[in-house]
Amino acid sequence: MGKRGWILLTIDARLRYNPLEQQAILKHGVAAFVFTGGATHDEKAAAFLAARGRSAGLPAREPPPFIAKIPHSGSVEVWLRGAAKRGKRKK
């Protein structure tokens, strides 16, 4: 995902309790967005639409890898950062 520039959208708020998943996201250079709170699907969709404008430029300001949370309000807050990857890997 990270190599292709894709982002991860998830409703798995328990990700914050799983360091292995966090490490995998950061290791592979992924920009991840986690919907938080016990919202309905309609509320999550509304939060996504509210966050869309805020999150669109985030990878430019905050290079991946990172994990950001999106609460009901639609705000976007980066809560876990990894080392930004620069250049190509040596083989």
Side-chain angles (χ1 to χ4, degrees):
M1 286 183 73
K3 287 181 183 180
R4 294 183 179 189
W6 294 357
I7 63 168
L8 170 67
L9 294 174
T10 182
I11 59 171
D12 183 10
R14 297 208 40 89
L15 175 72
R16 68 180 172 221
Y17 302 113
N18 191 328
L20 293 177
E21 285 185 28
Q22 295 168 12
Q23 290 170 10
I25 288 169
L26 299 178
K27 176 183 176 184
H28 294 285
V30 174
F33 295 89
V34 181
F35 292 95
T36 60
T40 65
H41 292 299
D42 289 342
E43 291 168 332
K44 288 175 185 167
F48 173 73
L49 292 175
R52 187 174 53 176
R54 296 180 197 113
S55 62
L58 187 60
R61 294 187 311 274
E62 179 76 41
F66 63 81
I67 302 173
K69 60 183 178 178
I70 302 175
H72 298 152
S73 67
S75 63
V76 178
E77 178 186 338
V78 175
W79 62 269
L80 189 59
R81 293 173 172 86
K85 299 197 185 230
R86 308 259 190 251
K88 295 185 177 183
R89 275 192 197 175
K90 294 181 182 177
K91 292 189 176 190

